[in-house]
Amino acid sequence: MVEFWAQRNDPMARARERFASGDRVEGVRAPILQSWQRCRDLGLRPDRFELPYDANLDLESPLVRAALPVLGRVEPAFLGPVSLIITDRDGTVLVRRTGDRSLDPLLDAIQLLPGFRYAERLAGTCGLGTALAERRLHHVRGPEHFAECLQGFACFAAPVLNPLSGRIDGAVNLTCRASDARPAMESFIQKARNSIEQQILDTCSQRERTVLQAYVQARRRGCTAVAVTGEGVASVEALGDTGLSRRDQEVLQEKATELLCSGAVAAAEVTLSTGRTAMLLCRPVTTPSGISGAAVEALLPSTSGHSTWLPRPAEPEPAEPARWSPQRPEPEPAGTPKAPKAAKALKALKGAETSDPGSGEAGRLLLVGEPTVGRFAMQTRRRLQLLSEGGVRIGTTLDVAQTAAELADVAVPQLADFVTVDLLQSVLSWEEAAETGGPLHRMAVGSIRADCPFYHMDTQFEFVPTTPQARCLATGQSILEPDLTLAPGWLAQDPVRTEKLLVEQGIHSLMTVLLRSSGTVLGVVTFYRSEKPDPFENDDLSLAEELVAHAAVCIDNARRYTREHTMAVALQRSLLPQGLPQQGAVEAAYRYLPALAGVSGDWFDVIPLSGARVALVVGDVVGHGIQAAATMGRLRTAIHNFAALDLLPDELLSHLDDLVIRLDNDALASGGGHGITGSSCLYAIYDPSSGQCTMARAGHPPPALVTPDGHVTLADLPPGPPLGLGGLPFQVAELELPIGSQLVLYSDGLLQDHRRDIDAGVERLRQALAHPQRPPEATCQAVMDAMLPAFPQDDVTLLVTRTRRLDTRQIATWKLPSAPEVVSTLRTAVTRQLADWDLEELRFTTELILSELLTNAIRYATGPLQVRMLRADSLICEVSDGSSTSPHLRHAATTDEGGRGLFLVAQLAQRWGTRYTANGKIIWTEQDIPP
């Protein structure tokens, strides 16, 4: 072991030199490096070591009384050159026990003597001071000490927690030469600390039993059952036979504990759930050995409604009489009622203090104990209530900001006067990496005053590395600063702002807790006190960690939900149309509103078709979530592909139905889920040249038709089965829409509302649409205002179109015989028509296109021929024949005499294609019109 420490001396010495020069230090334990940083921030120097001395030592404190028996038991185990030391909470040495007297001169040289204060802010990095500063077991060996004079020693120290108050009463320390250090010393000092804490608890419990015995002997009454609780408060369960409900018993116990905390003569009235009133009386008790306590009795109401003293069975005369010790009356505790009955009972109780304690009748005994212990019990109960309240109030929504605000609301003012919740910006950017650095975003501020100069909500900032918050993020451990005037690292964050917090707001204590869930660091929560005089203690830190741990899970759930919901919405938005395409058949407007419960599979489309026509589509995939959105994207892509083939509505829905069945079977065969059965769709084609609208639906609501005179009807469209069922054909309906008519397509989410039936929804839709003069955009807004429920449970999709018609002057049609000589005649007619339309620039290409298409029709097709030109947003040329054979584009070889005509057409036209009719086919081309 000696060689081990000798090998470490040189590297540690070099690390100290690098730290002193400000260089990056490696190979040093994180707690030691952080302590060195705190010492440097405090202005300490390794070559200076001066400790204050205090001669007024409290050697009768509960800590010393509990520690001396423990030291007496463990001292024989370390008779070598080892010293056992007890300090108070400030680090002042109270007791020192040394196994080898040769060690005493060395300890005297470093002032490790009773009366000297070994706080970290004074002695630098050392076992005692650092253990109290970080409030946990700590060890410092050799060169790890900040002061040069301490580097020859090894120290193992642990803070001693008072089990009742939850406060650090002091520390127990083991010091030896660095060469004598052993690994077992750390576990030894931990066991010694646990033994001292248990001794404190046992001592308090014995004192409580003594007070209870004194009360019983003084009253000369028997007790039905006596129990001593874990907090050391003696509780007498004597209410079970009184007929009181469990809730009333709990209320009486709660009020009795408040009276016990006062330790004075007091009385209080408690209203029970039945409306009757019970009286509680608090009597001071003093044992023969001088231990002071109090007893609380209950004067319970009788069944007749009058309060009566309930007698107790007599007890044999005690062998050793106890006595009542009259005490000077003290003010009643806060919240004690001043009712006449309570005042009368209090007066009678004070008058009975000097009388024989055994005379008269007594009420039911509720509590006996020391007032200090009663206050600790009350604090424990209130902390448990705060945890219960936090479990109910924190995490009521899946909103990150709301959850952070709920945490601050629960903690203020019960635990702290001010609370700030800061989340890492990377967390709010929905990143998975648990990065503890980078800027933070202030999500919530809880305050007892509105003028506290903290960073405001939604502020982005970074903590200075020396602040407790930065140390908490770096180490992953909670930080407690009971005295902020001794925490210069906190002051370095913003000197002006922190000075206001210290001076104007009176903030004196701080604790900061890491927000972490499932290994992901989310941020940090900081608690401050100003109005509450007591600084934060370890119990407060434990309570804060419990609250923050629950809030961290809720915040993590909220952010994961928000991230996934945002991703799903982004996916759905990307799969929906990003705008309406340019076309001249209809004037269109739309609205899409995702459901509050999440994304679903609603979609709409406006698809330009050949011949200036347009396809209008609205569909709905049953269900919510990414699966529904992905299915919607697949169906929408399929519809675009089928629409490019110029299929009729019923044919398109049949192909779509087959696709859904195939996808559904593939999903079931691969075990990927339940498939996508349950999709609906409405597909309509409007032709502005004739005003004809052809539509079919698959399990979808029929569209609404608004005529120019304001008459609103639902289209008489035969119903069809939802997509994916198969086996049933889809029927087509044809309507002729007057110019200026409005065709309104929607999803069933527009009509659904739990407050009304479907017929009422349809009637309200009729009323909202009965204004034909409005443009589609205004109609969309009016319909959403009238129909949208307060909390939509499904996506709402609305597509409003106003029909347009091509003027007869924009259409030129020629019916031609199937003869070669008609080609030249057509060229002449086309030239004249283009001149009338001021499109002479397109004469050459148009003549060539129509000549090639007409020649192919004459050569290969049958039946009557027809040529039509449309001047719409583009110049459309159509050649129709009676054949169902479609031409195919091919590249002719150099030796081929034909096969180049269709290739030329494809090169000259912007688009071209074939669509089939009931009597044959139509080959069409489109050319852009010059501006």
Side-chain angles (χ1 to χ4, degrees):
M1 195 67 175
V2 174
E3 290 83 13
F4 173 76
W5 283 108
Q7 294 173 2
R8 286 180 54 88
N9 282 338
D10 289 343
M12 185 60 64
R14 290 193 295 269
R16 289 172 56 85
E17 293 176 359
R18 290 196 301 271
F19 177 80
S21 62
D23 296 336
R24 182 180 179 86
V25 178
E26 297 180 354
V28 180
R29 291 187 293 132
I32 299 299
L33 192 59
Q34 294 161 15
S35 179
W36 286 359
Q37 184 65 49
R38 292 196 298 268
C39 294
R40 185 164 64 182
D41 295 338
L42 289 166
L44 300 181
R45 293 178 53 181
D47 57 344
R48 290 186 180 181
F49 190 77
E50 298 179 359
L51 302 180
Y53 177 77
D54 185 2
N56 299 319
L57 302 180
D58 185 8
L59 299 180
E60 295 298 326
S61 65
L63 172 63
V64 175
R65 292 200 304 267
L68 290 178
V70 175
L71 295 183
R73 291 195 302 269
V74 303
E75 195 171 4
F78 283 87
L79 297 178
V82 174
S83 179
L84 292 174
I85 298 165
I86 301 297
T87 72
D88 63 11
R89 69 178 63 185
D90 295 325
T92 302
V93 179
L94 301 176
V95 177
R96 189 182 82 181
R97 298 285 182 86
T98 307
D100 187 345
R101 295 301 178 183
S102 64
L103 187 61
D104 286 342
L106 301 178
L107 300 180
D108 294 345
I110 60 173
Q111 299 177 346
L112 195 54
L113 290 165
F116 286 95
R117 184 176 301 170
Y118 256 79
E120 187 186 61
R121 65 180 183 274
L122 302 171
T125 305
C126 61
L128 275 171
T130 306
L132 288 172
E134 298 191 357
R135 310 177 80 82
R136 62 186 179 90
L137 190 147
H138 215 291
H139 64 273
V140 181
R141 301 163 178 166
E144 292 180 336
H145 286 88
F146 187 80
E148 294 176 354
C149 64
L150 301 180
Q151 294 177 17
F153 297 90
C155 301
F156 299 83
V160 178
L161 179 71
N162 190 310
L164 296 177
S165 66
R167 297 180 178 179
I168 298 294
D169 280 355
V172 56
N173 173 72
L174 187 152
T175 300
C176 64
R177 297 181 183 90
S179 58
D180 295 330
R182 300 291 185 270
M185 291 180 176
E186 184 168 337
S187 61
F188 167 78
I189 207 67
Q190 186 173 0
K191 294 178 181 178
R193 185 265 310 273
N194 295 340
S195 299
I196 294 174
E197 293 177 351
Q198 184 61 43
Q199 186 68 25
I200 294 174
L201 182 60
D202 293 342
T203 301
C204 293
S205 300
Q206 182 60 40
R207 291 167 63 89
E208 289 297 313
R209 295 188 186 96
T210 305
V211 173
L212 177 60
Q213 184 181 13
Y215 170 82
V216 173
Q217 292 174 349
R219 296 303 300 168
R220 298 179 182 177
R221 302 292 186 193
C223 297
T224 58
V226 178
V228 180
T229 67
E231 293 83 7
V233 179
S235 175
V236 180
E237 303 293 342
L239 298 176
D241 57 347
T242 59
L244 296 180
S245 66
R246 183 171 182 177
R247 175 58 182 165
D248 287 341
Q249 295 181 41
E250 293 175 353
V251 171
L252 289 176
Q253 290 285 349
E254 178 79 13
K255 192 61 179 179
T257 306
E258 293 182 7
L259 292 175
L260 181 66
C261 294
S262 67
V265 178
E269 292 183 9
V270 178
T271 302
L272 305 177
S273 59
T274 58
R276 296 182 294 169
T277 301
M279 188 74 64
L280 298 183
L281 304 176
C282 182
R283 301 172 182 267
V285 179
T286 302
T287 69
S289 60
I291 300 175
S292 299
V296 181
E297 300 170 341
L299 182 61
L300 303 176
S302 65
T303 56
S304 61
H306 301 287
S307 296
T308 60
W309 292 102
L310 299 182
R312 290 187 165 277
E315 184 184 71
E317 186 75 17
E320 180 182 352
R323 63 185 176 89
W324 285 100
S325 177
Q327 300 180 10
R328 179 177 299 175
E330 299 181 10
E332 297 179 33
T336 301
K338 299 295 184 179
K341 291 183 180 180
K344 182 178 179 180
L346 182 59
K347 181 178 180 181
L349 182 59
K350 291 178 179 178
E353 284 185 293
T354 57
S355 63
D356 182 5
S359 63
E361 298 291 347
R364 295 280 179 140
L365 179 63
L366 290 183
L367 286 178
V368 172
E370 291 182 278
T372 302
V373 180
R375 282 194 289 272
F376 295 154
M378 182 62 68
Q379 292 174 0
T380 301
R381 182 178 290 115
R382 288 173 178 169
R383 286 172 177 173
L384 290 175
Q385 291 174 348
L386 181 60
L387 284 177
S388 177
E389 183 181 358
V392 174
R393 292 177 53 188
I394 298 175
T396 59
T397 65
L398 286 173
D399 181 81
V400 173
Q402 179 65 26
T403 304
E406 289 168 350
L407 170 61
D409 292 341
V410 168
V412 176
Q414 291 93 329
L415 177 61
D417 298 320
F418 308 97
V419 173
T420 59
V421 182
D422 306 312
L423 298 186
L424 291 168
Q425 189 62 41
S426 58
V427 171
L428 297 177
S429 300
W430 322 123
E431 298 177 9
E432 272 293 343
E435 297 291 340
T436 57
L440 292 103
H441 188 96
R442 178 137 295 172
M443 296 300 300
V445 178
S447 173
I448 59 174
R449 292 189 292 270
D451 59 344
C452 202
F454 288 108
Y455 292 131
H456 297 294
M457 289 178 57
D458 298 326
T459 303
Q460 293 188 15
F461 60 94
E462 291 190 48
F463 283 113
V464 175
T466 59
T467 58
Q469 293 89 341
R471 287 158 46 202
C472 178
L473 287 169
T475 64
Q477 297 177 351
S478 302
I479 304 295
L480 175 60
E481 294 286 358
D483 188 354
L484 284 178
T485 59
L486 304 176
W490 178 69
L491 300 174
Q493 174 67 25
D494 189 336
V496 176
R497 191 183 300 271
T498 51
E499 186 68 21
K500 291 181 180 179
L501 293 173
L502 283 174
V503 178
E504 298 179 6
Q505 305 297 330
I507 292 179
H508 58 80
S509 184
L510 170 153
M511 58 183 179
T512 180
V513 181
L514 196 68
L515 266 168
R516 177 168 48 196
S517 176
S518 302
T520 301
V521 177
L522 306 176
V524 66
V525 183
T526 309
F527 303 82
Y528 303 87
R529 273 187 179 172
S530 64
E531 296 291 332
K532 296 178 177 61
D534 295 333
F536 286 119
E537 295 290 345
N538 272 49
D539 269 8
D540 299 316
L541 185 60
S542 299
L543 177 61
E545 288 175 340
E546 288 286 342
L547 286 175
V548 172
H550 173 69
V553 173
C554 297
I555 290 176
D556 192 36
N557 290 340
R559 89 177 176 93
R560 290 179 184 275
Y561 167 80
T562 303
R563 184 187 63 189
E564 293 178 4
H565 184 265
T566 302
M567 292 172 56
V569 170
L571 172 63
Q572 186 182 33
R573 293 289 187 183
S574 67
L575 297 176
L576 286 171
Q578 304 303 307
L580 296 178
Q582 184 69 29
Q583 48 81 35
V586 294
E587 178 186 0
Y590 68 92
R591 291 290 187 274
Y592 174 78
L593 182 67
L596 295 179
V599 299
S600 63
D602 285 20
W603 84 92
F604 67 93
D605 259 313
V606 176
I607 306 174
L609 300 177
S610 63
R613 299 169 306 141
V614 66
L616 308 175
V617 190
V618 170
D620 182 7
V621 176
V622 175
H624 296 84
I626 293 182
Q627 180 65 32
T631 300
M632 174 269 291
R634 300 170 79 176
L635 295 182
R636 181 169 175 259
T637 301
I639 289 177
H640 274 263
N641 292 331
F642 292 146
L645 300 177
D646 270 317
L647 299 178
L648 294 176
D650 57 337
E651 295 178 354
L652 184 142
L653 291 181
S654 296
H655 285 290
L656 198 63
D657 184 54
D658 293 338
L659 175 65
V660 171
I661 293 175
R662 187 164 57 252
L663 294 176
D664 187 58
N665 292 334
D666 291 343
L668 293 176
S670 62
H674 300 288
I676 56 176
T677 302
S679 302
S680 66
C681 182
L682 170 65
Y683 188 84
I685 297 177
Y686 174 69
D687 188 349
S689 64
S690 62
Q692 292 290 326
C693 183
T694 306
M695 63 185 75
R697 60 177 175 138
H700 204 83
L705 176 61
V706 185
T707 59
D709 59 0
H711 184 62
V712 181
T713 58
L714 294 183
D716 186 12
L717 181 60
L723 298 175
L725 296 183
L728 296 177
F730 299 96
Q731 301 184 45
V732 175
E734 293 187 2
L735 304 174
E736 183 174 352
L737 304 181
I739 185 172
S741 300
Q742 287 190 353
L743 189 63
V744 180
L745 289 72
Y746 52 87
S747 62
D748 55 3
L750 185 69
L751 302 178
Q752 290 178 354
D753 191 347
H754 67 278
R755 298 171 300 178
R756 62 171 183 256
D757 57 25
I758 193 69
D759 293 334
V762 171
E763 183 58 32
R764 180 172 293 190
L765 177 62
R766 292 177 188 270
Q767 296 174 5
L769 292 175
H771 299 277
Q773 70 280 2
R774 288 185 306 210
E777 183 66 31
T779 301
C780 278
Q781 189 59 47
V783 170
M784 296 297 283
D785 293 341
M787 300 294 298
L788 191 63
F791 302 99
Q793 300 302 312
D794 195 4
D795 285 12
V796 176
T797 304
L798 177 66
L799 178 62
V800 178
T801 60
R802 173 177 285 175
T803 61
R804 295 169 176 164
R805 292 286 288 272
L806 293 178
D807 191 88
T808 55
R809 292 172 296 180
Q810 296 177 269
I811 304 174
T813 305
W814 298 276
K815 292 185 178 182
L816 304 172
S818 180
E821 58 271 14
V822 300
V823 176
S824 59
T825 306
L826 178 64
R827 290 197 193 100
T828 304
V830 167
T831 301
R832 288 197 302 268
Q833 187 62 57
L834 292 177
D836 293 342
W837 288 344
D838 295 328
L839 296 178
E840 289 89 349
E841 297 180 25
L842 299 179
R843 182 179 63 83
F844 174 76
T845 57
T846 304
E847 288 182 356
L848 182 57
I849 289 172
L850 287 176
S851 297
E852 290 296 334
L853 294 180
L854 185 59
T855 301
N856 285 339
I858 294 173
R859 179 177 298 179
Y860 302 110
T862 60
L865 304 180
Q866 178 176 292
V867 176
R868 187 174 72 158
M869 286 200 311
L870 305 176
R871 191 190 191 286
D873 294 335
S874 60
L875 179 61
I876 301 171
C877 299
E878 298 178 345
V879 176
S880 59
D881 56 54
S883 173
S884 59
T885 303
S886 176
H888 296 282
L889 179 66
R890 68 183 182 91
H891 294 279
T894 55
T895 59
D896 290 343
E897 296 183 0
R900 298 179 180 82
L902 199 57
F903 178 78
L904 292 175
V905 171
Q907 296 299 313
L908 296 175
Q910 191 70 22
R911 294 195 309 151
W912 76 280
T914 304
R915 71 174 183 268
Y916 296 92
T917 65
N919 302 318
K921 69 176 184 295
I922 297 176
I923 303 177
W924 55 268
T925 63
E926 289 186 10
Q927 302 174 74
D928 289 339
I929 296 178

